[in-house]
Amino acid sequence: MTDAIPTATTLVVDDNETKRYIIGSWLRRAGHTVVEAATAAQCWERLAEHQVDLVVLDVQLPDANGMEVCEQIKAAPATASLPVVHISAAAVEVTDRTSGLRRGADAYMTDPIDPGEFIATAEAVLRYYQARRRAERIAERMAAFTRTSLAINAATTFDGLAAVAARGALDIFSVPSAVYILPRTAR
C-alpha cells in the first residue's frame, strides 16, 4: 500500500513567497499539483478557479486572520468538506494550536516544519477525507437503492415498473440507463 495521494491538488496560502515556494516544492515532489495564494482574497479566488483537495493555510495573512479564513471555508457549503492544515511561524503556543483546531483546522503545524512530517500529515488528512467522501457516496447510493426498491414494490403496472427501474438505475449508478420493453406479442 502506498501512502501517496495521487492527483491531489493542494492550495498553499501564505504571504511569504519563500515559504510558499518551499512548501509547494515539498508537495510537488510528493506528487501534488500545487496552487498558490498570498492573501485570503486570493485564497477565495483560487478556490473558485480550481478543484482543490487540500488547503495549507498560514495563520497570519496580510488581509485576514487565517483561523477566520478556515472557519469561513468550513462554513461555506461548497468548501465545508475541504481539509485545512494550518501552518504558523508566529502562533506557535499550545493555545494557538488548540484554537486553530477548535476553529476547524484538521491539523496545525508550527515552524520549523520537517518536510517528511509535513507531507505525512497532509496525506493523512487527505486519506481521511477521501475515505469520508467514499463513505458518503456509498451512503447516497444505498439511500437511492432503498428508494428504488420501495418504488419498484409500489409499481402497479409493468410499464410503471420499467420506468421506476430505469430511473432507479440512474439514481444509484449515476449513469444514463434505458429499459426496452418487448411488445406484448413477443412476451
Side-chain angles (χ1 to χ4, degrees):
M1 179 180 115
T2 178
D3 289 339
I5 305 293
T7 71
T9 299
T10 302
L11 172 59
V12 178
V13 185
D14 198 308
D15 60 321
N16 183 311
E17 186 176 351
T18 302
K19 194 168 172 186
R20 277 196 322 271
Y21 174 80
I22 292 169
I23 290 172
S25 68
W26 294 342
L27 290 163
R28 284 182 191 92
R29 280 195 299 263
H32 296 239
T33 300
V34 176
V35 178
E36 296 182 9
T39 65
Q42 286 180 357
C43 172
W44 289 109
E45 290 171 8
R46 301 304 182 271
L47 287 172
E49 297 167 351
H50 302 276
Q51 181 66 39
V52 173
D53 300 302
L54 172 68
V55 177
V56 177
L57 179 61
D58 188 13
V59 173
Q60 294 185 345
L61 298 171
D63 60 341
N65 177 301
M67 290 187 198
E68 291 171 4
V69 174
C70 179
E71 285 178 326
Q72 293 166 354
I73 287 171
K74 297 297 185 167
T79 56
S81 66
L82 190 58
V84 176
V85 175
H86 269 314
I87 54 172
S88 184
V92 298
E93 299 300 322
V94 171
T95 55
D96 298 319
R97 295 190 307 267
T98 302
S99 178
L101 293 168
R102 285 195 171 141
R103 293 174 77 177
D106 298 283
Y108 194 111
M109 302 187 79
T110 59
D111 280 332
I113 298 173
D114 175 76
E117 181 183 9
F118 171 75
I119 294 300
T121 299
E123 291 181 348
V125 167
L126 281 166
R127 279 193 306 275
Y128 167 79
Y129 272 86
Q130 287 176 346
R132 177 180 164 182
R133 287 181 192 124
R134 278 192 304 274
E136 288 169 352
R137 283 193 303 271
I138 289 170
E140 289 168 6
R141 277 185 156 178
M142 292 303 296
F145 178 77
T146 299
R147 287 189 304 273
T148 300
S149 295
L150 292 171
I152 286 171
N153 287 320
T156 57
T157 66
F158 184 74
D159 290 347
L161 172 67
V164 166
R167 177 63 193 184
L170 172 63
D171 291 344
I172 294 167
F173 300 110
S174 300
V175 294
S177 61
V179 175
Y180 177 74
I181 300 173
L182 293 173
R184 290 193 178 270
T185 58
R187 289 187 202 162

